[in-house]
Amino acid sequence: MTIQLMTDGGSDIPKELMELIDIAVVPLYLNFNDKQYKSGVELDLPEFYRKIAETKELPRSAAPSPNDFYEAFKRVDPAKKIIMLSLSGGLSSTYDNAVTGKQMLLEEEPERVIEVLNTKTASSGQALLLFEAYQKINENASFDDIVAHLKQQINHTTTLFVLKTLENLVLGGRLDKVKGTLAKTLNIKLLMKGSEEGTIEVAEKVRGDKKSIRRFVEQIGEYAKTVEDKILVMTHCNASERAKAVLAEIKANYPFKGTYVTEMGPLISTYGGEGALVIAFFKD
C-alpha cells in the first residue's frame, strides 16, 4: 500500500479494522498524581479501571507533543503518503500538534506528502472515517481524491453519546457535585452529540436509563433516513452486554450495511464513565 493511515489515542478502533489494515496510532497521555502514562500503551483498560477505583481520581489527559508526531511521521516509509485522522481540534490540541509535527518533518524532508485532517469527532467517529479511508484505498482512488472525500465525509459524520452515570463528569470537574447529586437523585441521563465545530454538547436530558436508550436509538432516524449503504461503529465503556443489547435494538430498527462494536480506550473512558456508549455513522 502506498498510503499510510494514522490516527491518535482519541480513536477507538474495532479489531476488524485493525486486522484489515496497518494503522499507526500516536498515543495521548493520561496523568495520574503518581505517574504519566501513554494511553493504551503503558496503561491497559483493567489497570486504568483499577487505578480509578483505588484513587477515586480521574487522570488528566494531555495531547501528544509536536515531537511525538514528528517521530511518528518520520518512522513511516518515505515512499508512502500519510493521511493522519486527528481527534477533534475542538476537544484537544492534538490536531494543532500534529500539524506542527508535520511541518517539522517537511522542513527536513520536503518531498514527504502528509495530510493532517481534523475529524471534528472522537472515538468511534474516528474509526468510522478510518473505515471510509480504507474503502477508498481499496477502490484505488488517488491520494487527492481520498483526502477530498474524507473532508466531505467529516461534515457528514454524526457522533452520539449516552451516559449511564455522571460520576466521571463530577470527578473531572465538568459538573459540580450539587448538580451531579441532584441529577443522580432524579435519575437524569445525558444524551450528548458532537457539534459541527467538533465540540461535545448536551442534546437532551432524559429521566431513566430505559428512556435514554430509547431516545439514543430513535435519534439515528432523525439524522439518517436511509442506512442500507452505511456502516455504524459503536464503542462502550466497560459495558459489553449493554452494548450488545443496544446494538441489537439498533439493528432491529435500522438495516445498516455493517455494524461494529469495540471497547473505549482509557482516554474516552475518562470522560464517558462506566456504561457510556458512543455511536458514529454518516448522516444523509
Side-chain angles (χ1 to χ4, degrees), residues 162 189 191 206 208-216:
V162 62
K189 309 297 178 184
L191 294 172
V206 179
D209 194 50
K210 286 184 179 178
K211 189 175 179 183
S212 72
I213 292 298
R214 186 167 70 248
R215 278 297 299 141
F216 185 58

Side-chain angles (χ1 to χ4, degrees), residues 216-217 220 232 234 245-256 259 279:
F216 185 58
V217 175
I220 297 170
L232 176 141
M234 173 187 281
V246 175
L247 189 61
E249 195 172 333
I250 289 171
K251 289 165 76 171
N253 286 276
Y254 306 100
F256 280 96
T259 57
I279 53 173

Side-chain angles (χ1 to χ4, degrees), residues 44 52 88 92 124 130 133 160 183 266:
D44 63 14
I52 290 175
S88 174
S92 167
S124 53
L130 286 164
L160 304 177

Side-chain angles (χ1 to χ4, degrees), residues 55-71:
T55 62
K56 303 297 182 189
E57 169 205 354
L58 283 180
R60 299 173 309 283
S61 61
S65 69
N67 192 64
D68 289 336
F69 282 107
Y70 162 82
E71 295 287 353

Side-chain angles (χ1 to χ4, degrees), residues 160 216-227 254 281 284:
L160 304 177
F216 185 58
V217 175
E218 284 174 357
Q219 284 181 105
I220 297 170
E222 295 165 13
Y223 290 94
K225 301 302 180 191
T226 56
V227 299
Y254 306 100
F281 55 93
D284 295 338

Side-chain angles (χ1 to χ4, degrees), residues 186-215:
L186 297 175
N187 199 18
I188 298 294
K189 309 297 178 184
L190 294 186
L191 294 172
M192 307 176 86
K193 65 179 182 179
S195 71
E196 290 183 7
E197 297 76 32
T199 59
I200 297 173
E201 58 188 30
V202 176
E204 294 178 37
K205 297 174 184 176
V206 179
R207 208 162 175 179
D209 194 50
K210 286 184 179 178
K211 189 175 179 183
S212 72
I213 292 298
R214 186 167 70 248
R215 278 297 299 141

